[in-house]
Amino acid sequence: TPQDPQTPQEPLNPADPIYPQEPTEPIKPQEPDEQVEPVNLTVIKKWDDNGKDRPNFAKVTLYDGDTAVESVRLGDWNNWSYSWKGLKGSGNWQIVEEDIPKGYVPSYTYVDGVVTVVNTAALIQTGQLSWPIPVMGGMGLVLMLYGFAVILKKGKNEDV
């Protein structure tokens, strides 16, 4: 219920948590406890295939979060590897292969500043193994119809 404006209010109690406190020192922004050291990243490209139909190069891109920083080409001329030195230690670094060749599946591993990208040759379904399915299904249907015809004919011959 609202208080009557005629009723005197109680004086403020300093123990009351809403009682105004003396101003405090301004809060200073906290400095990070330790400086983040720069990082070095190396990418190594490997192939798990028989060596046929392999492209002459692979393109990888270095990302800091969602931002592409640099793209490089890897090939025999640089032993399928590249290194970035002195990257910002607080970055969210990722290395992604671009334009993956058809018929390959990439996998990524990271150990001690080295990202290894392995492209494994994938089995490509050519359709050569699926052609017998409709042929065999059709032949099975024909044999079933022939079996029913023989049974019906045998049944008519016995009725006579």
Side-chain angles (χ1 to χ4, degrees):
T1 64
Q3 287 188 339
D4 180 17
Q6 303 283 336
T7 308
Q9 295 187 355
E10 295 180 38
L12 291 175
N13 180 359
D16 192 339
I18 62 167
Y19 189 80
Q21 302 289 321
E22 291 187 25
T24 58
E25 291 292 318
I27 298 174
K28 296 178 184 174
Q30 291 183 341
E31 296 290 326
D33 292 345
E34 59 184 65
Q35 293 292 332
V36 179
E37 294 290 323
V39 296
N40 299 327
L41 281 178
T42 298
V43 61
I44 298 173
K45 179 71 181 162
K46 293 185 177 181
W47 299 90
D48 183 9
D49 62 0
N50 60 9
K52 294 181 180 178
D53 301 324
R54 182 185 297 173
N56 296 329
F57 70 92
K59 179 182 173 187
V60 294
T61 302
L62 174 68
Y63 287 88
D64 184 1
D66 293 333
T67 305
V69 176
E70 182 180 12
S71 293
V72 295
R73 291 172 68 173
L74 307 175
D76 284 332
W77 62 88
N78 58 8
N79 292 323
W80 295 92
S81 68
Y82 185 82
S83 295
W84 289 273
K85 306 239 184 251
L87 297 171
K88 181 176 63 175
S90 61
N92 181 16
W93 302 108
Q94 300 173 29
I95 296 174
V96 177
E97 181 177 6
E98 308 290 338
D99 304 324
I100 298 163
K102 186 175 181 177
Y104 286 93
V105 176
S107 62
Y108 300 83
T109 57
Y110 174 79
V111 177
D112 296 329
V114 178
V115 176
T116 304
V117 182
V118 179
N119 276 8
T120 303
L123 295 176
I124 300 173
Q125 179 64 33
T126 61
Q128 293 176 349
L129 298 177
S130 63
W131 70 265
I133 294 172
V135 173
M136 298 299 268
M139 289 182 68
L141 187 60
V142 168
L143 288 174
M144 286 175 47
L145 291 173
Y146 177 74
F148 284 128
V150 169
I151 290 173
L152 287 176
K153 187 175 182 181
K154 186 176 180 181
K156 284 183 181 181
N157 287 343
E158 290 177 1
D159 289 342
V160 177

